Amino acid sequence: MTDLAPHCGPTAGDAPVSHPSNAPIPPGTTTPAYHYDLASVRSAHARLRTWLPQPSELYYSLKANPHPVVVSALYGLGCRAEVSSPGELDAALEAGVPPRDIFYTGPGKRDEDLGKALAAGVRDFAVDSEHGVAQLGQAAARHGAHVTYLLRVNPGGGSRGAGLRMTGSPSAFGADAEDIAARPQRYMGGEHARIGGLHLYLATNIADEEALADSFSEAIGVARALREALPGPLHTIDLGGGFAAPYARAGDLPAYPQLADRLTSELDANLPGWRQNAPTIAFESGRYLTATCGRLLTRVLDVKKSHGQRVVVLDAGINHLGGMAGLRRVPPLHPDVVRPDDTPAADAATGHSAPEGPAMICGPLCTPLDTWARSHPLPAVVPGDLLVVPNTGAYGLHASLALFLGHPAPLEVVTESGVVLRSDRLAFVRRDD
Ligand SMILES: *Cc1c(COP(=O)(O)O)cnc(C)c1O
């Protein structure tokens, strides 16, 4: 993450992003726990809004954090909910999002999942293939429903810049742009499910403003080409996302001060009518909206020297954060583990004086995989000390291996202005299906 430039927009982009990692933590606080602060969700939303051309819609991708109170706050700010599983659908409904404001995406949908969404009243979907078009049409017909879908597109060329490239190569995501242009009738749908627009999601987590703008430019160009190829109006062009956020490391949300101006002129040139919502332009974000709202609270369980190395065992591990990194499926994650600002240093309280410096940071699971870092800076700590991993509001608990080895789930606490709105714990129960 290189783009941590100071804020330079003239409006709400300048608003300081609140750092919940600085909020006081009462003594005796339960750990492990994820704490999410709504003030930070609101300021991240205001900031992202200033980077986007207007008018435009913004979807919140529940996969970053489907906690119903968080989803409800973002819905209240105007974000429709983008879901891609029955569990995320339930979370959106529990959050009070009306079914008409839920957008159901995903490259492989089971018939029963579509049925459940249709029965709940969802009418907006994304499809990724010719089969997806037919499958949705049949499901909608069974429910006597009329739905529209955005056709997800896999463009011919990849987007420039950093981040995970999702396009330009074989992928579960989207239908090939070339095929849509060559055989448009296959993708138009029928009586019960009709195309309503295009869904382009080309990249994720791009902190560099120019690279992100380039990826949106590519999406706009593809949308223009396909609008000419596809008969009939496309009401919505979802340009996707890619807005970056710090992940389990200290740092601020990146700024994109030139993005709105650049996209405004490209939209004027390529999709005239967008200013009158013809088509409606939409964007999507998960991590930008929620990463900075969350912190993971963990306690030190043990500290020892092992073959000359300081080893610190915490009560949170790869089951609660970075599980996929812990299993080496994605690049390793080295979370920052810091003292909450208000916690008196344990060495001051106890006279203990272990030096600060790198430590091997382990979780409590009985596997050597449960290691966040082999050698990473960590304050002097003793068992019982409370530590914090910042910026874990996105892809924290909900991208974890929480079921791993039967430990209880961390608490989830959502606060606003210091008031606890909800404090609860996911329970994993075995039940007959
Ligand atoms: C994952 C995903 C998002 C959210 O990505 P972030 O990097 O968290 O903003 C948005 N749209 C789609 C289609 C996704 O799959």
Side-chain angles (χ1 to χ4, degrees), residues 61 63-64 82 105 152 166 173 199 201 203-205 240-243 284-288 394-395:
S61 300
K63 84 169 185 273
E82 190 245 303
T105 71
R152 184 152 173 186
M166 311 263 279
F173 299 104
H199 183 206
Y201 185 81
T204 178
N205 208 12
F243 309 98
E284 301 172 356
S285 177
R287 72 186 69 225
Y288 199 96
Y395 304 107

PDB file of all heavy atoms in Angstrom, residues 61 63-64 82 105 152 166 173 199 201 203-205 240-243 284-288 394-395, ligand 1:
ATOM      1  N   SER A  61     -20.551  -4.550  -0.611  1.00  0.00           N
ATOM      2  CA  SER A  61     -20.329  -5.988  -0.785  1.00  0.00           C
ATOM      3  C   SER A  61     -20.243  -6.650   0.574  1.00  0.00           C
ATOM      4  O   SER A  61     -19.259  -6.474   1.303  1.00  0.00           O
ATOM      5  CB  SER A  61     -19.023  -6.236  -1.524  1.00  0.00           C
ATOM      6  OG  SER A  61     -19.074  -5.627  -2.780  1.00  0.00           O
ATOM      7  N   LYS A  63     -19.488  -9.438   1.562  1.00  0.00           N
ATOM      8  CA  LYS A  63     -18.462 -10.420   1.908  1.00  0.00           C
ATOM      9  C   LYS A  63     -17.346  -9.817   2.756  1.00  0.00           C
ATOM     10  O   LYS A  63     -16.674 -10.536   3.482  1.00  0.00           O
ATOM     11  CB  LYS A  63     -17.932 -11.130   0.669  1.00  0.00           C
ATOM     12  CG  LYS A  63     -16.853 -10.462  -0.121  1.00  0.00           C
ATOM     13  CD  LYS A  63     -16.315 -11.489  -1.137  1.00  0.00           C
ATOM     14  CE  LYS A  63     -15.150 -10.981  -1.926  1.00  0.00           C
ATOM     15  NZ  LYS A  63     -15.553 -10.249  -3.140  1.00  0.00           N
ATOM     16  N   ALA A  64     -17.180  -8.497   2.717  1.00  0.00           N
ATOM     17  CA  ALA A  64     -16.151  -7.884   3.563  1.00  0.00           C
ATOM     18  C   ALA A  64     -16.524  -7.961   5.040  1.00  0.00           C
ATOM     19  O   ALA A  64     -15.657  -8.183   5.890  1.00  0.00           O
ATOM     20  CB  ALA A  64     -15.933  -6.428   3.168  1.00  0.00           C
ATOM     21  N   GLU A  82     -24.864  -5.889  -1.883  1.00  0.00           N
ATOM     22  CA  GLU A  82     -24.442  -6.887  -2.871  1.00  0.00           C
ATOM     23  C   GLU A  82     -24.110  -8.171  -2.115  1.00  0.00           C
ATOM     24  O   GLU A  82     -23.229  -8.203  -1.261  1.00  0.00           O
ATOM     25  CB  GLU A  82     -23.217  -6.367  -3.624  1.00  0.00           C
ATOM     26  CG  GLU A  82     -22.835  -7.204  -4.825  1.00  0.00           C
ATOM     27  CD  GLU A  82     -21.487  -7.868  -4.681  1.00  0.00           C
ATOM     28  OE1 GLU A  82     -20.484  -7.191  -4.466  1.00  0.00           O
ATOM     29  OE2 GLU A  82     -21.447  -9.107  -4.784  1.00  0.00           O
ATOM     30  N   THR A 105     -25.188 -11.705  -6.604  1.00  0.00           N
ATOM     31  CA  THR A 105     -24.139 -12.002  -7.585  1.00  0.00           C
ATOM     32  C   THR A 105     -23.475 -13.336  -7.275  1.00  0.00           C
ATOM     33  O   THR A 105     -23.760 -13.954  -6.244  1.00  0.00           O
ATOM     34  CB  THR A 105     -23.048 -10.920  -7.563  1.00  0.00           C
ATOM     35  OG1 THR A 105     -22.310 -11.044  -6.345  1.00  0.00           O
ATOM     36  CG2 THR A 105     -23.632  -9.520  -7.649  1.00  0.00           C
ATOM     37  N   ARG A 152     -22.390 -10.055 -16.169  1.00  0.00           N
ATOM     38  CA  ARG A 152     -20.996  -9.794 -15.815  1.00  0.00           C
ATOM     39  C   ARG A 152     -20.101 -10.100 -17.006  1.00  0.00           C
ATOM     40  O   ARG A 152     -20.268 -11.123 -17.682  1.00  0.00           O
ATOM     41  CB  ARG A 152     -20.579 -10.613 -14.590  1.00  0.00           C
ATOM     42  CG  ARG A 152     -19.166 -10.276 -14.157  1.00  0.00           C
ATOM     43  CD  ARG A 152     -18.914 -10.477 -12.698  1.00  0.00           C
ATOM     44  NE  ARG A 152     -17.513 -10.300 -12.391  1.00  0.00           N
ATOM     45  CZ  ARG A 152     -16.967 -10.526 -11.219  1.00  0.00           C
ATOM     46  NH1 ARG A 152     -17.713 -10.944 -10.221  1.00  0.00           N
ATOM     47  NH2 ARG A 152     -15.685 -10.339 -11.024  1.00  0.00           N
ATOM     48  N   MET A 166      -8.891 -10.020 -12.181  1.00  0.00           N
ATOM     49  CA  MET A 166      -9.964 -10.995 -12.273  1.00  0.00           C
ATOM     50  C   MET A 166     -10.381 -11.202 -13.713  1.00  0.00           C
ATOM     51  O   MET A 166     -11.362 -11.856 -13.975  1.00  0.00           O
ATOM     52  CB  MET A 166     -11.166 -10.481 -11.484  1.00  0.00           C
ATOM     53  CG  MET A 166     -10.824 -10.013 -10.098  1.00  0.00           C
ATOM     54  SD  MET A 166     -11.124 -11.271  -8.884  1.00  0.00           S
ATOM     55  CE  MET A 166     -12.866 -11.069  -8.682  1.00  0.00           C
ATOM     56  N   PHE A 173     -15.506 -15.809 -13.478  1.00  0.00           N
ATOM     57  CA  PHE A 173     -16.269 -14.567 -13.392  1.00  0.00           C
ATOM     58  C   PHE A 173     -16.556 -13.990 -14.770  1.00  0.00           C
ATOM     59  O   PHE A 173     -15.648 -13.638 -15.510  1.00  0.00           O
ATOM     60  CB  PHE A 173     -15.512 -13.537 -12.552  1.00  0.00           C
ATOM     61  CG  PHE A 173     -15.274 -14.008 -11.149  1.00  0.00           C
ATOM     62  CD1 PHE A 173     -14.029 -14.463 -10.750  1.00  0.00           C
ATOM     63  CD2 PHE A 173     -16.310 -14.033 -10.231  1.00  0.00           C
ATOM     64  CE1 PHE A 173     -13.814 -14.913  -9.461  1.00  0.00           C
ATOM     65  CE2 PHE A 173     -16.107 -14.483  -8.939  1.00  0.00           C
ATOM     66  CZ  PHE A 173     -14.854 -14.926  -8.552  1.00  0.00           C
ATOM     67  N   HIS A 199     -22.164  -5.736 -15.709  1.00  0.00           N
ATOM     68  CA  HIS A 199     -21.432  -5.766 -14.449  1.00  0.00           C
ATOM     69  C   HIS A 199     -19.963  -6.003 -14.772  1.00  0.00           C
ATOM     70  O   HIS A 199     -19.610  -7.031 -15.341  1.00  0.00           O
ATOM     71  CB  HIS A 199     -21.985  -6.914 -13.588  1.00  0.00           C
ATOM     72  CG  HIS A 199     -21.368  -7.018 -12.225  1.00  0.00           C
ATOM     73  ND1 HIS A 199     -21.315  -8.188 -11.520  1.00  0.00           N
ATOM     74  CD2 HIS A 199     -20.781  -6.101 -11.427  1.00  0.00           C
ATOM     75  CE1 HIS A 199     -20.731  -7.986 -10.351  1.00  0.00           C
ATOM     76  NE2 HIS A 199     -20.393  -6.726 -10.270  1.00  0.00           N
ATOM     77  N   TYR A 201     -16.258  -5.994 -13.006  1.00  0.00           N
ATOM     78  CA  TYR A 201     -15.500  -5.897 -11.753  1.00  0.00           C
ATOM     79  C   TYR A 201     -14.105  -6.383 -12.081  1.00  0.00           C
ATOM     80  O   TYR A 201     -13.843  -7.567 -12.149  1.00  0.00           O
ATOM     81  CB  TYR A 201     -16.164  -6.743 -10.662  1.00  0.00           C
ATOM     82  CG  TYR A 201     -15.497  -6.574  -9.328  1.00  0.00           C
ATOM     83  CD1 TYR A 201     -15.791  -5.472  -8.526  1.00  0.00           C
ATOM     84  CD2 TYR A 201     -14.549  -7.479  -8.877  1.00  0.00           C
ATOM     85  CE1 TYR A 201     -15.158  -5.293  -7.308  1.00  0.00           C
ATOM     86  CE2 TYR A 201     -13.911  -7.307  -7.667  1.00  0.00           C
ATOM     87  CZ  TYR A 201     -14.229  -6.217  -6.883  1.00  0.00           C
ATOM     88  OH  TYR A 201     -13.597  -6.040  -5.683  1.00  0.00           O
ATOM     89  N   ALA A 203     -10.847  -5.405 -10.841  1.00  0.00           N
ATOM     90  CA  ALA A 203      -9.665  -5.461  -9.984  1.00  0.00           C
ATOM     91  C   ALA A 203     -10.074  -5.187  -8.554  1.00  0.00           C
ATOM     92  O   ALA A 203     -11.178  -4.727  -8.293  1.00  0.00           O
ATOM     93  CB  ALA A 203      -8.650  -4.417 -10.436  1.00  0.00           C
ATOM     94  N   THR A 204      -9.172  -5.482  -7.647  1.00  0.00           N
ATOM     95  CA  THR A 204      -9.477  -5.221  -6.244  1.00  0.00           C
ATOM     96  C   THR A 204      -8.248  -4.660  -5.540  1.00  0.00           C
ATOM     97  O   THR A 204      -7.111  -4.955  -5.927  1.00  0.00           O
ATOM     98  CB  THR A 204      -9.975  -6.506  -5.548  1.00  0.00           C
ATOM     99  OG1 THR A 204     -10.225  -6.224  -4.176  1.00  0.00           O
ATOM    100  CG2 THR A 204      -8.968  -7.623  -5.624  1.00  0.00           C
ATOM    101  N   ASN A 205      -8.499  -3.816  -4.554  1.00  0.00           N
ATOM    102  CA  ASN A 205      -7.453  -3.342  -3.645  1.00  0.00           C
ATOM    103  C   ASN A 205      -6.332  -2.595  -4.363  1.00  0.00           C
ATOM    104  O   ASN A 205      -5.160  -2.915  -4.212  1.00  0.00           O
ATOM    105  CB  ASN A 205      -6.882  -4.537  -2.864  1.00  0.00           C
ATOM    106  CG  ASN A 205      -6.353  -4.133  -1.502  1.00  0.00           C
ATOM    107  OD1 ASN A 205      -6.594  -3.023  -1.020  1.00  0.00           O
ATOM    108  ND2 ASN A 205      -5.611  -5.019  -0.872  1.00  0.00           N
ATOM    109  N   GLY A 240     -17.979  -1.731 -11.003  1.00  0.00           N
ATOM    110  CA  GLY A 240     -17.193  -2.508 -10.058  1.00  0.00           C
ATOM    111  C   GLY A 240     -16.497  -1.641  -9.034  1.00  0.00           C
ATOM    112  O   GLY A 240     -16.974  -0.558  -8.673  1.00  0.00           O
ATOM    113  N   GLY A 241     -15.356  -2.107  -8.568  1.00  0.00           N
ATOM    114  CA  GLY A 241     -14.677  -1.386  -7.482  1.00  0.00           C
ATOM    115  C   GLY A 241     -13.173  -1.477  -7.622  1.00  0.00           C
ATOM    116  O   GLY A 241     -12.638  -1.312  -8.706  1.00  0.00           O
ATOM    117  N   GLY A 242     -12.521  -1.769  -6.521  1.00  0.00           N
ATOM    118  CA  GLY A 242     -11.067  -1.826  -6.510  1.00  0.00           C
ATOM    119  C   GLY A 242     -10.470  -0.859  -5.506  1.00  0.00           C
ATOM    120  O   GLY A 242      -9.249  -0.730  -5.423  1.00  0.00           O
ATOM    121  N   PHE A 243     -11.341  -0.177  -4.738  1.00  0.00           N
ATOM    122  CA  PHE A 243     -10.868   0.796  -3.750  1.00  0.00           C
ATOM    123  C   PHE A 243     -10.126   0.068  -2.638  1.00  0.00           C
ATOM    124  O   PHE A 243     -10.642  -0.882  -2.059  1.00  0.00           O
ATOM    125  CB  PHE A 243     -12.049   1.586  -3.192  1.00  0.00           C
ATOM    126  CG  PHE A 243     -12.927   2.157  -4.279  1.00  0.00           C
ATOM    127  CD1 PHE A 243     -14.091   1.500  -4.671  1.00  0.00           C
ATOM    128  CD2 PHE A 243     -12.549   3.307  -4.952  1.00  0.00           C
ATOM    129  CE1 PHE A 243     -14.884   1.997  -5.696  1.00  0.00           C
ATOM    130  CE2 PHE A 243     -13.334   3.813  -5.981  1.00  0.00           C
ATOM    131  CZ  PHE A 243     -14.494   3.154  -6.353  1.00  0.00           C
ATOM    132  N   GLU A 284     -18.982  -0.555  -6.527  1.00  0.00           N
ATOM    133  CA  GLU A 284     -19.086  -1.521  -5.440  1.00  0.00           C
ATOM    134  C   GLU A 284     -17.866  -1.395  -4.533  1.00  0.00           C
ATOM    135  O   GLU A 284     -16.763  -1.180  -5.011  1.00  0.00           O
ATOM    136  CB  GLU A 284     -19.070  -2.956  -5.992  1.00  0.00           C
ATOM    137  CG  GLU A 284     -20.175  -3.251  -6.948  1.00  0.00           C
ATOM    138  CD  GLU A 284     -20.000  -4.616  -7.611  1.00  0.00           C
ATOM    139  OE1 GLU A 284     -18.989  -5.285  -7.373  1.00  0.00           O
ATOM    140  OE2 GLU A 284     -20.901  -4.975  -8.368  1.00  0.00           O
ATOM    141  N   SER A 285     -18.102  -1.561  -3.251  1.00  0.00           N
ATOM    142  CA  SER A 285     -16.961  -1.640  -2.340  1.00  0.00           C
ATOM    143  C   SER A 285     -17.305  -2.483  -1.128  1.00  0.00           C
ATOM    144  O   SER A 285     -18.429  -2.460  -0.640  1.00  0.00           O
ATOM    145  CB  SER A 285     -16.532  -0.249  -1.873  1.00  0.00           C
ATOM    146  OG  SER A 285     -15.475  -0.370  -0.930  1.00  0.00           O
ATOM    147  N   GLY A 286     -16.316  -3.193  -0.672  1.00  0.00           N
ATOM    148  CA  GLY A 286     -16.400  -3.888   0.603  1.00  0.00           C
ATOM    149  C   GLY A 286     -15.394  -3.275   1.560  1.00  0.00           C
ATOM    150  O   GLY A 286     -15.738  -2.564   2.503  1.00  0.00           O
ATOM    151  N   ARG A 287     -14.107  -3.493   1.239  1.00  0.00           N
ATOM    152  CA  ARG A 287     -13.059  -3.152   2.206  1.00  0.00           C
ATOM    153  C   ARG A 287     -12.953  -1.657   2.497  1.00  0.00           C
ATOM    154  O   ARG A 287     -12.651  -1.269   3.624  1.00  0.00           O
ATOM    155  CB  ARG A 287     -11.721  -3.718   1.733  1.00  0.00           C
ATOM    156  CG  ARG A 287     -11.100  -3.026   0.546  1.00  0.00           C
ATOM    157  CD  ARG A 287      -9.849  -3.743   0.068  1.00  0.00           C
ATOM    158  NE  ARG A 287     -10.176  -5.026  -0.515  1.00  0.00           N
ATOM    159  CZ  ARG A 287      -9.511  -6.159  -0.254  1.00  0.00           C
ATOM    160  NH1 ARG A 287      -8.486  -6.149   0.555  1.00  0.00           N
ATOM    161  NH2 ARG A 287      -9.873  -7.284  -0.828  1.00  0.00           N
ATOM    162  N   TYR A 288     -13.145  -0.796   1.481  1.00  0.00           N
ATOM    163  CA  TYR A 288     -12.970   0.634   1.748  1.00  0.00           C
ATOM    164  C   TYR A 288     -13.978   1.112   2.797  1.00  0.00           C
ATOM    165  O   TYR A 288     -13.682   1.970   3.631  1.00  0.00           O
ATOM    166  CB  TYR A 288     -13.133   1.443   0.455  1.00  0.00           C
ATOM    167  CG  TYR A 288     -12.533   2.836   0.514  1.00  0.00           C
ATOM    168  CD1 TYR A 288     -11.256   3.086   0.025  1.00  0.00           C
ATOM    169  CD2 TYR A 288     -13.245   3.903   1.066  1.00  0.00           C
ATOM    170  CE1 TYR A 288     -10.694   4.354   0.081  1.00  0.00           C
ATOM    171  CE2 TYR A 288     -12.697   5.174   1.131  1.00  0.00           C
ATOM    172  CZ  TYR A 288     -11.414   5.397   0.636  1.00  0.00           C
ATOM    173  OH  TYR A 288     -10.863   6.656   0.708  1.00  0.00           O
ATOM    174  N   ALA A 394     -12.746  -5.370   7.667  1.00  0.00           N
ATOM    175  CA  ALA A 394     -13.091  -6.085   6.437  1.00  0.00           C
ATOM    176  C   ALA A 394     -12.220  -7.338   6.345  1.00  0.00           C
ATOM    177  O   ALA A 394     -11.026  -7.300   6.648  1.00  0.00           O
ATOM    178  CB  ALA A 394     -12.858  -5.204   5.212  1.00  0.00           C
ATOM    179  N   TYR A 395     -12.832  -8.429   5.915  1.00  0.00           N
ATOM    180  CA  TYR A 395     -12.117  -9.695   5.750  1.00  0.00           C
ATOM    181  C   TYR A 395     -11.426 -10.139   7.042  1.00  0.00           C
ATOM    182  O   TYR A 395     -10.326 -10.666   7.027  1.00  0.00           O
ATOM    183  CB  TYR A 395     -11.133  -9.609   4.570  1.00  0.00           C
ATOM    184  CG  TYR A 395     -11.827  -9.204   3.300  1.00  0.00           C
ATOM    185  CD1 TYR A 395     -11.663  -7.930   2.759  1.00  0.00           C
ATOM    186  CD2 TYR A 395     -12.714 -10.080   2.679  1.00  0.00           C
ATOM    187  CE1 TYR A 395     -12.361  -7.547   1.615  1.00  0.00           C
ATOM    188  CE2 TYR A 395     -13.405  -9.704   1.542  1.00  0.00           C
ATOM    189  CZ  TYR A 395     -13.221  -8.438   1.018  1.00  0.00           C
ATOM    190  OH  TYR A 395     -13.909  -8.066  -0.101  1.00  0.00           O
TER     191      TYR A 395
HETATM  192  C1  LIG B   1     -15.316  -9.055  -3.436  1.00  0.00           C
HETATM  193  C2  LIG B   1     -16.129  -8.230  -4.329  1.00  0.00           C
HETATM  194  C3  LIG B   1     -16.318  -6.877  -4.055  1.00  0.00           C
HETATM  195  C4  LIG B   1     -15.679  -6.190  -2.878  1.00  0.00           C
HETATM  196  O1  LIG B   1     -14.302  -6.107  -2.986  1.00  0.00           O
HETATM  197  P1  LIG B   1     -13.480  -5.111  -2.040  1.00  0.00           P
HETATM  198  O2  LIG B   1     -12.085  -5.281  -2.474  1.00  0.00           O
HETATM  199  O3  LIG B   1     -13.719  -5.569  -0.636  1.00  0.00           O
HETATM  200  O4  LIG B   1     -14.025  -3.743  -2.253  1.00  0.00           O
HETATM  201  C5  LIG B   1     -17.120  -6.148  -4.895  1.00  0.00           C
HETATM  202  N1  LIG B   1     -17.715  -6.718  -5.965  1.00  0.00           N
HETATM  203  C6  LIG B   1     -17.557  -8.017  -6.260  1.00  0.00           C
HETATM  204  C7  LIG B   1     -18.248  -8.575  -7.446  1.00  0.00           C
HETATM  205  C8  LIG B   1     -16.755  -8.824  -5.461  1.00  0.00           C
HETATM  206  O5  LIG B   1     -16.601 -10.104  -5.756  1.00  0.00           O
END
